[in-house]
Amino acid sequence: MTFERAAGILLHPTSLHGRYGIGDLGSEAYQFVDWLQAAGARLWQILPLGPTGYGDSPYQCFSAFAGNHMLISPDYLARINLLAQWDLEQLTNLPSESVDFGAVIPAKLQLLRTAFENFKAQADDRGFNAFCAAEQAWLDDYALFMACKAAHAGASWTTWDSAIALHEPEAVAEWSQKLADDVQFHKFLQWAFFNQWDDLKRYANERDIKIVGDIPIFVAHDSADVWGNRSLFLLHPDGNPVDIAGVPPDYFSATGQRWGNPLYRWDVMAQDGYQWWQQRISASLRTVDIVRIDHFRGFAGYWAVPASEETAVNGEWRRGPGADFFQAIAQAFGSLPLIAEDLGMITPDVYQLRDQFALPGMRILQFAFTSGAFQSNFLPHTYVQNTVAYTGSHDNDTSRGWYNSAGPEEQHRARTYLHCGEEALVWTMIRTLYASVADTVIIPMQDALDLGTEARMNRPGLTGGNWSWRIKPDQLSYDLAHSLYGLAEVYGRLAQPALSKELDPNAPPYFDLQETSEL
């Protein structure tokens, strides 16, 4: 489907500011929505919202359906009398300018446990049982998975006692009873998360701001999804993967990326019309308004790596489900608000699949200047309307960091194409995308702030030190919002045309780019 002409900001909720060690769904999130509205932004793009596992990556979650309980606002729990003010002091000594996952996770879990104990003591349902009944299809397995994982000291499910590791019905019943309190705790966390998220999403939608979510094509091996649905994945009898997902050597890594996710048994999934995927997409569209499908090219063909390999070099391309998958999804849902992440090693069949279902693809402006011939399809003059354009994504360096680390020829090509000096380069990139024919433009918050590599969100291939950047309170300024609003107004990306007003010839411009002939 095609989208209205609009612009937005990419910022994951963990990157919001606040006093509890990690961005959450509290007042700062509402302030950010207000700021987006002031900036003329109509889209807020986030990363996957699931509970993160190894490496704290939102692309390696314990569930494709659950919410990340680290995003639960302690202040909200205090307002509904599940925490006292002295409880909140437990988290106020955590770093505020970045996320220290090793410190915040145990501290916040302890606080959430206190809220759960208070919830039980009050014996007030508050819609909890109705929530559990409505979400039973995924919630029961997820809550038991998390409880069992804690009972096995966090170990992967393939190392658990064999009966429960293999999800045998008798073992499921036995462990559900044995760990009943922990199971309820994790259901409580999901109830609290979705109550808070639903309120925040409603607040954004009422202000004409849509949430752009993210579905990674593959799920983590150590997840409730794989543990509870082993027949849908390419696994050995003991549950370990036969082959795993990844990508061959590319722009980001000379040895490729060995993701470690198990591969789907697409033939098995096709037998019931991809019901598991239908449930997954339905759950996502309950949570967000638009879904970006990460690694879309995997539906056409995916890189399969033997699980025994240490890198992703020795793999092979295998055919994905292709049009059959999207026909089944379209039959179930009709026209879907999907974005195809069509980056990387792309072959014609990927574009054909994308265009067959009229899905907008992605363009990254940072990628436009590697070729000396100015022939890249990442150059804005080559865009089509049904496109989502970015200066960079969560996997890229910030645009300032990219430019500073680029070679002199690439820097020169960027300055020549954008017709600006290096001081004005990042904001000229933003203005160029706003002016382009692309229906959708999304700018990482770090680029709107013109920050350097120190603000980078993720470095693909590295297992530590990612996902920790947080915005500072004073960076969400009126001046920045005013400049972005000006771009949205000038280039037709507001919800409705701004009211005409008499121009003051002496008024400063919305956005003040430092023009220079130093190309």
Side-chain angles (χ1 to χ4, degrees):
M1 67 176 296
T2 57
F3 299 134
E4 295 179 323
R5 187 169 175 84
I9 294 291
L10 169 59
L11 181 77
H12 196 50
T14 59
S15 294
L16 292 165
H17 62 90
R19 60 179 184 146
Y20 298 120
I22 188 170
D24 61 37
L25 307 181
S27 59
E28 291 80 9
Y30 289 82
Q31 292 167 11
F32 181 66
V33 170
D34 291 342
W35 182 88
L36 286 173
Q37 186 180 31
R42 298 167 60 198
L43 301 166
W44 176 9
Q45 181 169 335
I46 59 175
L47 306 181
L49 283 173
T52 58
Y54 177 71
D56 309 304
S57 170
Y59 293 88
Q60 295 285 348
C61 293
F62 291 131
S63 170
F65 296 82
N68 186 355
H69 47 271
M70 288 294 112
L71 292 173
I72 295 172
S73 165
D75 286 332
Y76 174 92
L77 296 178
R79 284 199 303 274
I80 61 175
N81 299 317
L82 295 181
L83 290 175
Q85 287 300 316
W86 58 80
D87 294 320
L88 305 182
E89 298 303 318
Q90 298 178 43
L91 297 184
T92 56
N93 60 347
L94 293 167
S96 60
E97 295 189 1
S98 63
V99 182
D100 182 349
F101 289 99
V104 74
I105 290 174
K108 193 159 188 178
L109 271 176
Q110 183 178 352
L111 189 71
L112 294 171
R113 178 68 74 169
T114 299
F116 174 60
E117 296 300 327
N118 291 334
F119 176 76
K120 290 190 299 180
Q122 293 174 12
D124 185 353
D125 177 73
R126 304 186 192 220
F128 173 73
N129 288 324
F131 169 81
C132 293
E135 307 298 332
Q136 183 179 14
W138 64 267
L139 184 59
D140 284 358
D141 260 357
Y142 169 73
L144 180 57
F145 173 85
M146 296 298 285
C148 287
K149 192 169 182 65
H152 290 87
S156 173
W157 62 268
T158 56
T159 68
W160 300 351
D161 295 353
S162 60
I164 190 62
L166 298 178
H167 203 268
E168 295 178 359
E170 296 82 2
V172 168
E174 176 189 348
W175 283 81
S176 294
Q177 183 176 4
K178 182 165 63 173
L179 301 177
D181 191 61
D182 276 354
V183 169
Q184 287 296 95
F185 172 56
H186 285 285
K187 290 183 178 182
F188 164 80
L189 295 181
Q190 292 305 301
W191 167 81
F193 171 86
F194 281 105
N195 274 346
Q196 292 189 20
W197 178 259
D198 290 349
D199 287 347
L200 177 61
K201 181 178 180 295
R202 187 180 308 111
Y203 186 85
N205 290 166
E206 288 171 352
R207 284 149 183 80
D208 197 34
I209 295 170
K210 294 181 179 179
I211 308 294
V212 182
D214 200 326
I215 289 184
I217 182 174
F218 299 111
V219 297
H221 175 251
D222 191 20
S223 68
D225 309 302
V226 179
W227 173 67
N229 301 278
R230 296 193 323 282
S231 64
L232 302 181
F233 298 88
L234 191 59
L235 305 174
H236 290 295
D238 65 359
N240 286 304
V242 176
D243 298 317
I244 57 175
V247 291
D250 61 6
Y251 170 87
F252 290 110
S253 173
T255 58
Q257 296 177 47
R258 184 187 183 280
W259 292 338
N261 310 78
L263 301 177
Y264 297 111
R265 295 179 62 187
W266 287 115
D267 56 335
V268 174
M269 287 187 156
Q271 293 173 9
D272 64 1
Y274 306 95
Q275 280 296 313
W276 182 86
W277 266 96
Q278 289 190 36
Q279 294 165 8
R280 186 182 184 190
I281 291 174
S282 178
S284 292
L285 290 175
R286 170 197 180 281
T287 307
V288 301
D289 302 294
I290 300 170
V291 174
R292 170 189 178 272
I293 300 182
D294 188 57
H295 200 62
F296 173 82
R297 73 107 49 246
F299 289 100
Y302 54 91
W303 188 247
V305 181
S308 59
E309 289 287 329
E310 294 184 359
T311 72
V313 172
N314 297 319
E316 65 176 12
W317 287 106
R318 295 181 186 169
R319 185 177 298 276
D324 182 63
F325 172 86
F326 287 99
Q327 286 168 350
I329 298 301
Q331 185 174 358
F333 295 97
S335 180
L336 285 178
L338 301 179
I339 297 170
E341 186 270 288
D342 54 349
L343 306 174
M345 190 175 292
I346 303 302
T347 48
D349 57 331
V350 180
Y351 293 134
Q352 181 180 356
L353 181 63
R354 179 198 67 191
D355 294 342
Q356 180 178 347
F357 294 92
L359 303 179
M362 288 175 53
R363 295 295 178 266
I364 304 295
L365 186 52
Q366 288 183 22
F367 293 164
F369 308 110
T370 57
S371 170
F374 289 108
Q375 294 177 343
S376 169
N377 66 352
F378 291 103
L379 290 166
H381 72 270
T382 70
Y383 293 173
V384 297
Q385 282 184 260
N386 198 25
T387 294
V388 183
Y390 298 78
T391 49
S393 77
H394 65 275
D395 281 334
N396 295 108
D397 199 346
T398 67
S399 289
R400 178 60 61 187
W402 155 75
Y403 178 81
N404 288 342
S405 63
E409 292 185 1
E410 188 173 355
Q411 290 180 334
H412 178 73
R413 282 191 289 272
R415 296 195 307 272
T416 300
Y417 184 89
L418 297 167
H419 195 68
C420 69
E422 63 180 37
E423 289 300 316
L425 186 121
V426 175
W427 261 82
T428 305
M429 291 173 70
I430 295 171
R431 183 177 66 173
T432 300
L433 292 188
Y434 269 72
S436 75
V437 298
D439 285 330
T440 307
V441 171
I442 296 179
I443 307 299
M445 191 70 228
Q446 295 94 318
D447 284 353
L449 294 166
D450 199 358
L451 300 178
T453 299
E454 73 281 355
R456 183 170 184 169
M457 193 62 168
N458 181 44
R459 294 169 174 80
L462 297 182
T463 57
N466 292 320
W467 318 110
S468 62
W469 178 78
R470 298 182 71 188
I471 195 169
K472 299 175 183 177
D474 60 353
Q475 289 176 321
L476 287 178
S477 68
Y478 169 79
D479 287 344
L480 178 58
H482 183 67
S483 296
L484 289 168
Y485 185 95
L487 290 176
E489 180 182 12
V490 168
Y491 297 116
R493 297 187 181 276
L494 297 178
Q496 57 187 8
L499 296 176
S500 60
K501 48 187 176 292
E502 185 175 350
L503 295 179
D504 178 357
N506 298 316
Y510 277 117
F511 37 89
D512 187 11
L513 302 182
Q514 182 179 342
E515 300 294 348
T516 174
S517 60
E518 182 191 344
L519 301 179

